[in-house]
């Protein structure tokens, strides 16, 4: 038995609905459900899959066929699954991310699943797939910021809201500890020597400097960062919208 066989990992997987009341955009499409996670990764996951996504969208009054655009921050399986729910939507992906999904760095092969690539490449028409290069203003109030680091074609989505500019940073610093490593609220073991610098995540295709530069560029454009896998998201929003949330309880 491996020592961590029974470890519990609190790592939520998110998909974000962005709407002005009329246009409905999904940022990332969530991950596989429990059966897939067990079969492929031997993980006992809770939630996920098409059922959960349909359910969560319904809870905010949205059917999958109302989603016109799905922005994929990158093509890892826990961000770009369930795409069969959105056959009529336009997928928006950085071109470099598609190349990387075809030929990933060896350590990342496990994160790119064939189904995601087929779903993306299966949309040959421009109306079904928009490949972008670099920073793009997708529409007023929604900016894509190319942020190589975690993957070469990673992109963050900066959404202008009534409360300010929110960067859905996905896995470009997937917890608050990456963004504020010296802050005791953000990091269980604060790294005081880091000061205001960024702590790149351990899963990365690019150098630490390239990764940190991407984080810096995002923060220059946003008032708050919302990381993909911080266990405090989304519970601590919007109550503590523009602050690093309080430290989570131990355990
Ligand atoms: Zn990822």
């Amino acid at each position: 038995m491996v020592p961590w066989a029974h470890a519990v990992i609190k790592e939520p997987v998110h998909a974000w609905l962005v709407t002005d009341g009329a246009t409905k955009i999904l940022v990332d499409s969530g991950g596989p459900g429990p059966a897939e996670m067990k079969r492929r990764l031997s993980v006992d996951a809770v939630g996920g899959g098409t059922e959960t996504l349909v359910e969560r969208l319904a809870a905010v009054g949205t059917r999958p066929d109302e989603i016109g655009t799905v922005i994929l921050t990158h093509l890892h399986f826990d961000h770009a699954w369930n795409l069969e729910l959105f056959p009529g939507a336009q997928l928006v992906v950085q071109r470099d991310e598609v190349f990387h999904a075809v030929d990933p760095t060896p350590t990342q092969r496990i994160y790119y699943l064939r189904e995601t690539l087929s779903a993306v490449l299966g949309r040959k028409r421009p109306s079904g797939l928009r490949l972008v290069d670099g920073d793009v203003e997708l529409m007023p109030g929604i900016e894509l910021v190319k942020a190589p680091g975690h993957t070469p074609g990673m992109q963050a989505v900066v959404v202008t809201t009534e409360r300010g500019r929110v960067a859905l940073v996905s896995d470009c610093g997937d917890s608050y500890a990456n963004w504020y490593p010296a802050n005791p609220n953000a990091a269980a073991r604060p790294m005081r020597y880091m000061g205001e610098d960024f702590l790149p995540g351990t899963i990365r295709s690019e150098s630490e400097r390239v990764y940190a530069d991407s984080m810096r560029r995002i923060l220059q454009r946003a008032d708050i960062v919302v990381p993909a896998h911080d266990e405090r998201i989304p519970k601590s929003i919007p109550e503590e919208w523009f602050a690093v949330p309080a430290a989570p309880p131990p355990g």
Side-chain angles (χ1 to χ4, degrees), residues 148-151 200-201 203-214:
H150 177 64
T151 70
I203 299 173
R204 54 182 183 240
S205 62
E206 311 306 304
S207 76
E208 196 174 327
R209 289 187 196 279
V210 167
Y211 197 137
D213 274 350
S214 289

Side-chain angles (χ1 to χ4, degrees), residues 74 76 78-79 150 171:
H74 62 308
H76 283 172
D78 54 332
H79 295 259
H150 177 64
D171 288 357

Side-chain angles (χ1 to χ4, degrees), residues 16 27 32 48 50 68 73 75 79 103 113 122 130:
W16 299 95
V27 177
T50 52
T73 59
L75 297 178
H79 295 259
D103 181 25
L113 302 186
R130 180 171 172 191

Side-chain angles (χ1 to χ4, degrees), residues 73-137:
T73 59
H74 62 308
L75 297 178
H76 283 172
F77 72 93
D78 54 332
H79 295 259
W81 202 254
N82 308 313
L83 291 171
E84 68 271 29
L85 286 177
F86 312 101
Q90 182 177 63
L91 308 180
V92 182
V93 194
Q94 290 283 333
R95 192 182 311 272
D96 282 349
E97 185 62 14
V98 176
F99 292 149
H100 192 240
V102 173
D103 181 25
T105 52
T107 53
Q108 296 209 15
R109 283 182 195 138
I110 191 171
Y111 305 125
Y112 290 95
L113 302 186
R114 186 192 309 256
E115 289 89 333
T116 295
L117 194 54
S118 313
V120 171
L121 297 182
R123 300 185 189 225
K124 298 192 182 77
R125 284 194 295 274
S127 60
L129 177 62
R130 180 171 172 191
L131 297 182
V132 293
D133 299 290
D135 298 353
V136 172
E137 192 191 25

